[in-house]
């Protein structure tokens, strides 16, 4: 088959996405040696769920910061010089870029949510659209690769990045479905479902993020980079960019707070489960809140729900606290603060998304009750986000400077 990559061992086993910090660190340790030439040469190949030896698959742990980007960079740069691991290091910074970009253009997220509701309403009144959508999310389109990936996504909560791009392209340009519904399908099922990375990646494929630049899924490309596993027919031959009337003006990055100086309640969320390490001292108490259900107006996939909840539960294991879910976060926050007798709450700075929305809505009630909320941002984000105001290239050129500022270069 023309797609076969000569000389590459295809042995492997499925990755067990165990939602613990120990499992994430173990995966990082196992893959660190491959982040140089091996990764650069093979990263674009999707060999299937059984053969993830060519990609790190660290994104579920990094997304929830069970392990942090900085920890990943430290370990990789201990094994390779920056030039040797350049491609892998850039992939780590893509997540940082997406976060920083959405911070500066929050209307992208709010408009996506608004259009998503409209798209679901359209399904109710359009039987043809409903049929195509149902076939897509159940893996019954007749496009073998797309159907395989849809099933794999639901079953495992993970897809190779190239498969995500192909699926998004087929969804938009071949199936002619609203991109917002596809982005929501991903966000509901991905273990690493992230508002910034997911939304902006779909917009990039559609030609909305980088204006007029789309991504077209080509049969020959799919055949080559799936090592001949798929050779789809009937795919769109052109990918005309989508157009939106709205503008998304750049906003200043929201300020963060200094670390608390006195006793405080530590609020742990699915955005940053290692936030103990950016606090100045031990908290007087801990509260764990989940906003996973806020990703979508539809039910969240079982695998994604379980990963986030079990990850938070594991971090809280040494306490008598259990993860909670609530729409009004002021209620559990005030109750916990009163219980331990503090008037300060500290949490890792939440980027745009469901956690941020709940904290924003709760903060005025906290202030009324005399409780101060500290949002503490990581140094990596504070240094890198300002460079994420346009395309990725600007941030990419600053990677050596950012690493030097963080004292990560040898």
């Amino acid at each position: 088959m023309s797609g076969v990559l000569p000389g590459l061992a295809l042995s492997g086993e499925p990755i067990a996405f165990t939602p613990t910090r120990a499992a994430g660190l173990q995966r990082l340790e196992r893959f660190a040696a491959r982040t140089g030439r091996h990764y650069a040469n093979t990263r674009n190949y999707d060999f299937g769920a059984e053969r993830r030896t060519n990609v790190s698959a660290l994104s579920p742990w990094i997304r929830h910061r069970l392990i942090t980007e900085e920890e990943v960079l430290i370990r990789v740069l201990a094994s390779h010089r920056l030039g040797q691991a350049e491609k892998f290091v850039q992939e780590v910074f893509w997540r940082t870029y997406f976060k920083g970009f959405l911070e500066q253009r929050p209307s992208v997220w709010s408009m996506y949510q608004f259009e998503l509701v409209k798209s679901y309403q359209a399904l109710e009144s359009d039987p043809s659209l409903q049929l195509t959508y149902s076939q897509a999310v159940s893996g019954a389109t007749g496009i073998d690769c797309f159907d395989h990936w849809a099933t794999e996504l639901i079953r495992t909560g993970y897809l190779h990045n190239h498969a995500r791009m192909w699926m998004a392209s087929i969804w938009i340009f071949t199936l002619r479905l609203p991109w917002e519904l596809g982005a929501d399908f991903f966000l509901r099922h991905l273990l690493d479902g992230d508002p910034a990375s997911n939304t902006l990646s779909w917009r990039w494929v559609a030609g909305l993020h980088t204006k007029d630049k789309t991504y077209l899924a080509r049969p020959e490309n799919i055949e080559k980079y799936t090592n001949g596993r798929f050779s789809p027919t009937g795919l769109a031959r052109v990918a005309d960019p989508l157009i939106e009337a709205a503008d998304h003006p750049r906003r200043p990055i929201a300020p963060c707070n200094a670390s608390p100086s006195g006793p405080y309640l530590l609020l742990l969320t699915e955005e940053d489960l290692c936030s103990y390490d950016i606090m100045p001292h031990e908290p007087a108490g801990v509260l764990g809140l989940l906003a996973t259900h806020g990703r979508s107006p539809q039910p969240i996939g079982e695998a994604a729900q379980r990963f986030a909840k079990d990850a938070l539960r594991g971090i809280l294991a040494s306490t008598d606290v259990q993860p909670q879910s609530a729409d009004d976060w002021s209620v559990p926050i005030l109750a916990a603060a009163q219980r331990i007798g503090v008037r300060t709450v500290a949490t890792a700075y939440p980027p745009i998304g469901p956690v941020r929305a709940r904290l924003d809505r709760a903060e005025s009630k906290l202030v009324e009750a005399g409780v101060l909320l500290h949002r503490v941002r990581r140094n990596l984000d504070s240094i890198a986000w300002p460079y994420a105001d346009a395309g990725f290239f600007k941030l990419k050129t600053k990677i050596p400077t950012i690493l030097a500022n963080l004292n990560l270069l040898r």
Side-chain angles (χ1 to χ4, degrees), residues 270-328:
E270 62 217 63
E271 289 293 343
D272 195 324
L273 295 173
C274 279
S275 52
Y276 280 100
D277 63 15
I278 57 173
M279 299 299 164
H281 53 268
E282 288 292 315
V286 182
L287 174 66
L289 292 178
L290 289 164
T292 317
H293 63 289
R295 294 184 189 179
S296 168
Q298 299 294 314
I300 305 302
E302 180 182 347
Q305 282 196 67
R306 186 171 60 248
F307 190 95
K309 186 173 183 177
D310 287 353
L312 180 53
R313 180 183 285 120
I315 296 297
L316 294 171
S318 61
T319 73
D320 59 356
V321 177
Q322 290 295 316
Q324 300 180 48
S325 294
D327 289 324
D328 183 353

Side-chain angles (χ1 to χ4, degrees), residues 223-366:
E223 182 176 12
K224 175 182 177 180
Y225 287 105
T226 60
N227 219 42
R229 292 190 301 132
F230 302 109
S231 184
T233 59
L235 302 189
R237 295 180 179 273
V238 296
D240 294 328
L242 303 187
I243 299 172
E244 62 182 356
D247 189 21
H248 299 289
R250 182 183 170 198
R251 307 292 186 194
I253 296 173
C256 61
N257 306 99
S259 298
S261 57
Y264 67 97
L265 169 70
L266 176 62
L267 172 59
L268 292 174
T269 76
E270 62 217 63
E271 289 293 343
D272 195 324
L273 295 173
C274 279
S275 52
Y276 280 100
D277 63 15
I278 57 173
M279 299 299 164
H281 53 268
E282 288 292 315
V286 182
L287 174 66
L289 292 178
L290 289 164
T292 317
H293 63 289
R295 294 184 189 179
S296 168
Q298 299 294 314
I300 305 302
E302 180 182 347
Q305 282 196 67
R306 186 171 60 248
F307 190 95
K309 186 173 183 177
D310 287 353
L312 180 53
R313 180 183 285 120
I315 296 297
L316 294 171
S318 61
T319 73
D320 59 356
V321 177
Q322 290 295 316
Q324 300 180 48
S325 294
D327 289 324
D328 183 353
W329 277 16
S330 68
V331 175
I333 292 174
L334 289 174
Q338 183 179 25
R339 184 174 63 252
I340 63 175
V342 299
R343 291 193 171 273
T344 300
V345 178
T347 191
Y349 181 97
I352 297 295
V355 168
R356 170 77 155 269
R358 278 159 176 73
L359 273 182
D360 286 349
R361 291 197 298 267
E363 188 162 19
S364 62
K365 296 181 180 179
L366 300 185

Side-chain angles (χ1 to χ4, degrees), residues 39-87:
Y39 177 79
N41 291 341
T42 65
R43 67 193 181 97
N44 285 331
Y45 285 85
D46 177 12
F47 300 121
E50 308 291 324
R51 298 165 179 171
R52 297 291 185 215
T53 58
N54 61 319
V55 293
S56 74
L58 288 169
S59 55
W61 291 282
I62 297 174
R63 185 267 176 269
H64 298 286
R65 280 181 167 161
L66 278 167
I67 60 174
T68 67
E69 295 93 332
E70 193 166 342
E71 287 178 308
V72 173
L73 293 168
I74 289 170
R75 181 61 187 88
V76 169
L77 293 173
S79 297
H80 304 280
R81 294 189 302 274
L82 177 58
Q84 295 172 318
E86 182 179 36
K87 288 296 183 183

Side-chain angles (χ1 to χ4, degrees), residues 15 17 27 46 48-49 52 55-61 149-161 163-164 189-192 303:
I15 295 172
F17 289 109
R27 177 64 187 175
D46 177 12
R52 297 291 185 215
V55 293
S56 74
L58 288 169
S59 55
W61 291 282
W149 292 319
T151 303
E152 182 181 340
L153 171 61
I154 295 172
R155 178 174 58 86
T156 69
Y158 183 84
L159 286 176
H160 186 284
N161 186 59
R164 300 183 196 202
H189 290 285
L190 285 169
L191 304 180
D192 58 20

Side-chain angles (χ1 to χ4, degrees), residues 203-223:
R203 286 176 59 85
W204 181 82
V205 170
L208 294 170
H209 182 67
T210 303
K211 299 299 183 185
D212 298 329
K213 183 177 182 180
T214 59
Y215 180 79
L216 179 63
R218 302 179 186 276
E220 61 273 18
N221 184 269
I222 293 174
E223 182 176 12

